[in-house]
């Protein structure tokens, strides 16, 4: 295969040649129906070419020996960047590097993105809060960071009427003057209260704006690898929780990852509970417990199926 095509990628650059059986096992984590096609492997409409020996220059000399597997889309993708995710996921699991458009990256070094629990039905804010708070030995779920929670959009309770009805004005001039003074005092008190509420609102908005970058970072996996989610990408219906030092963001799942196709007969739209934290094993343990409680399936940031917290760690 031409070096130019390998450099264009997506390509998984590996330190050793994997057997076809090992490669098929890994690809089936992304698509359980992946199959062999001669020396290649096909997942959905994406072909993973058999590994070929390549010059270490392909990865800037980062590897002493390079076996390259180019990934080529031959038809519609089940979701955006599925071919690139395949190359990066394979490289991660085999201790290699990924090459795409001439850029070399090490998937093991990426600190963006994380696992997700994929559900066939979106939980309400109350349901998720109950699950998070009910997990044994887990820190209490902090809902202070909720964004656009389902149960905060409307309120059926009418505000209490604090005005006085059927007030009878005094028949004397003195009474009229007293009523006027009372009205003036009430107006002054109302104005002061309004000013205080407005100031508190500004402070709250300022504080919320300061937290937006964290919320934006939490949604990283919903974009292409390496792309940043902007604050505007967080939709009003998305909501965020924290459990200890782990952030939990509920968002619609874009596309239909083949790894969770067993959920699709029962769902028209999938939901992703994205988890973010600095300790992959700790995040993975929470993902497993959420999946068990909500009957979901877990995928990593490349949408490969995972069954144990250790699957989120780079090899060796």
């Amino acid at each position: 295969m031409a070096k130019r095509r390998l450099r264009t990628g997506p390509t998984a650059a590996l330190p050793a040649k994997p057997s076809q059986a090992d490669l098929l096992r890994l690809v089936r984590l992304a698509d359980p129906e992946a199959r062999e096609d001669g020396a290649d492997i096909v997942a959905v409409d994406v072909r993973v070419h058999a590994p070929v020996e390549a010059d270490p220059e392909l990865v800037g000399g980062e590897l002493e020996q390079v076996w390259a597997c180019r990934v080529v889309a031959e038809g519609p993708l089940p979701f955006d960047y599925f071919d690139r995710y395949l190359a990066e996921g394979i490289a991660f699991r085999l201790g290699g590097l990924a090459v795409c458009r001439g850029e070399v990256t090490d998937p093991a070094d990426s600190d963006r993105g994380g696992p997700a629990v994929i559900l066939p039905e979106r939980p309400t804010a109350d349901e998720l809060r109950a699950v998070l708070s009910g997990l044994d030995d887990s820190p209490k779920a902090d809902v202070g960071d909720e964004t656009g929670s389902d149960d905060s959009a409307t309120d059926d309770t009418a505000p209490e009427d604090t005005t006085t009805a059927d007030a009878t004005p005094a028949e004397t001039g003195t009474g009229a003057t007293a009523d006027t003074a009372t009205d003036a005092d009430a107006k002054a008190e109302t104005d002061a209260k309004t000013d205080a509420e407005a100031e508190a609102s500004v402070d709250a908005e300022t504080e919320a704006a300061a937290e937006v970058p964290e919320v934006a970072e939490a949604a990283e996996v919903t974009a292409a690898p390496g792309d940043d989610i902007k604050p505007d990408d967080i939709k009003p219906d998305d909501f965020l929780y924290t459990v200890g030092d782990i952030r939990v963001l509920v968002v619609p799942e874009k596309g239909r990852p083949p790894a969770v196709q067993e959920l699709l007969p029962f769902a028209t739209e999938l939901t992703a509970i994205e988890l973010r934290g600095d300790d992959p094993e700790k995040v993975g343990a929470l993902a497993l417990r959420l999946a068990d409680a909500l009957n979901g399936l877990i995928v990593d940031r490349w949408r490969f199926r995972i069954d144990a917290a250790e699957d989120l760690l780079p090899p060796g």
Side-chain angles (χ1 to χ4, degrees), residues 31-305:
D31 176 14
E33 296 184 357
R35 68 188 190 280
E36 295 176 334
D37 185 14
D40 301 338
I41 294 171
V42 176
V44 191
D45 285 326
V46 176
R47 180 175 298 273
V48 180
H49 285 274
V52 295
E53 193 166 8
D55 194 307
E57 182 186 355
L58 177 67
V59 291
E62 292 293 326
L63 299 175
E64 293 182 3
Q65 188 177 26
V66 175
W67 289 88
C69 295
R70 186 165 184 257
V71 181
V72 181
E74 298 181 332
L77 299 178
F79 62 92
D80 290 344
Y81 307 103
F82 177 63
D83 52 348
R84 182 170 177 178
Y85 277 129
L86 266 181
E88 292 187 351
I90 292 170
F92 174 79
R93 284 163 174 77
L94 294 177
L97 303 172
V99 183
C100 188
R101 298 179 182 177
E103 180 183 1
V104 179
T105 58
D106 184 350
D109 288 342
S110 178
D111 58 356
R112 295 180 300 187
V117 179
I118 308 298
L119 306 176
E121 184 176 345
R122 182 184 180 92
T124 66
D126 285 341
E127 289 171 342
L128 185 58
R129 182 188 298 112
V131 170
L132 290 172
S133 298
L135 294 176
D136 296 336
D137 302 324
S138 288
K140 184 177 179 181
D142 179 5
V143 297
D145 289 336
E146 264 185 86
T147 304
S149 173
D150 290 353
D151 58 356
S152 63
T154 60
D155 187 351
D156 294 333
T157 305
E160 181 181 357
D161 188 355
T162 57
T163 60
T164 302
D166 299 328
T168 303
E171 296 179 355
T172 64
T174 303
T177 303
D179 285 348
T180 302
T182 301
D183 291 342
D185 292 340
K187 183 178 185 303
E189 182 179 352
T190 299
D191 291 343
K193 182 178 180 181
T194 300
D195 291 343
E197 290 175 349
E199 183 177 352
S201 176
V202 170
D203 291 341
E205 291 176 0
T206 301
E207 182 178 352
E211 295 177 356
V212 165
E214 292 191 2
V215 176
E217 182 182 351
E220 175 64 33
V221 188
T222 62
D227 290 345
D228 290 328
I229 289 292
K230 308 302 180 186
D232 290 343
D233 291 325
I234 302 299
K235 306 302 181 184
D237 290 336
D238 301 342
F239 46 98
L240 175 71
Y241 300 93
T242 57
V243 180
D245 57 355
I246 301 174
R247 285 171 294 171
V248 181
L249 181 68
V250 181
V251 294
E253 171 63 21
K254 296 183 178 180
R256 298 193 168 198
V260 296
Q261 61 184 344
E262 63 191 79
L263 298 177
L264 296 176
F266 313 103
T268 55
E269 294 183 2
L270 298 176
T271 292
I273 300 180
E274 306 279 2
L275 304 180
R276 300 293 181 272
D278 295 331
D279 186 337
E281 286 190 276
K282 193 174 179 182
V283 172
L286 179 58
L288 289 167
R289 297 164 76 182
L290 281 173
D292 183 62
L294 296 171
N295 298 316
L297 297 174
I298 310 172
V299 294
D300 62 15
R301 65 164 302 201
W302 300 286
R303 278 7 191 194
F304 279 56
R305 177 83 171 265

